[in-house]
Amino acid sequence: MSSDQLSKAEAQVNAWIDSVVVSLNICPFAKRELDAGRVRVCAPDVAVMEAALEAIADEAIKLLHNDVTATTLVVLAQGFEEFDDYLDLLDMSEALLEECGWSESLQLASFHPDYCFDGVEQDDAANYTNRSPLPIIHLLRQDDVAKAIAGHPDVDSIPDSNQAMARSKGGAFFDELLRRCKQA
């Protein structure tokens, strides 16, 4: 991919963070980290499993050795459009963290344009809480997650509240938001 295409992918994800994740408060911790400049969005030029895993490992190492960045979103602009292929990458990424001894320090979150929770119908609007304009592997530093959770009055209610909000707004609402993000 050209550097312009990779930059566009990053812009699409940044637009999604602003217009979905922060504006709809899907992640109540995101705005604080964005405002502090602690969120990294990167789109490596990868399209196959091995190269994607190498890019995720590189970003994990950067995150582990950088006290300023709290979280990194690795945008996969090509090669993981199929949700099953993405899930394979996610499983292998989890195994990579374990194998490298990073699972105590880092965790993963996942976002994909076709995200579907296990046991939930594909057209259920609740899936939009994890749908993004492009496939994303989100690396989070465990210590920062623990601090954020400790400061939240009811962290366990976040997923249910998000899914209820998504259902109340409906799929068409989110489809339009994602369409606008892809135009960024």
Side-chain angles (χ1 to χ4, degrees), residues 9-135:
E10 290 175 10
Q12 290 173 355
V13 170
N14 281 314
W16 169 73
I17 292 169
D18 289 339
S19 64
V20 177
V21 177
V22 171
S23 292
L24 298 176
N25 202 33
I26 287 178
C27 176
F29 318 112
K31 182 171 179 12
R32 180 184 65 230
E33 298 300 336
L34 279 169
D35 290 348
R38 294 174 41 89
V39 177
R40 175 172 158 74
V41 176
C42 66
D45 189 7
V46 298
V48 297
M49 187 71 69
E50 185 176 315
L53 288 168
E54 286 177 20
I56 291 164
D58 289 346
E59 291 300 326
I61 291 167
K62 287 177 189 173
L63 188 57
L64 288 167
H65 294 96
N66 179 340
D67 291 337
V68 175
T69 303
T71 184
T72 301
L73 288 89
V74 181
V75 182
L76 303 159
Q78 59 182 350
F80 298 93
E81 296 84 2
E82 295 297 322
F83 190 51
D84 286 339
D85 293 341
Y86 171 81
L87 290 176
D88 290 343
L89 173 63
L90 182 62
D91 286 344
M92 293 183 82
S93 298
E94 290 282 0
L96 173 73
L97 291 186
E98 190 69 37
E99 194 176 295
C100 292
W102 299 333
S103 59
E104 295 294 317
S105 302
L106 300 174
Q107 71 180 44
L108 300 178
S110 57
F111 303 94
H112 190 278
D114 296 325
Y115 199 95
C116 186
F117 290 105
D118 191 34
V120 174
E121 294 294 320
Q122 181 70 27
D123 63 349
D124 188 327
N127 292 312
Y128 284 94
T129 64
N130 283 64
R131 287 192 181 164
S132 55
L134 294 163

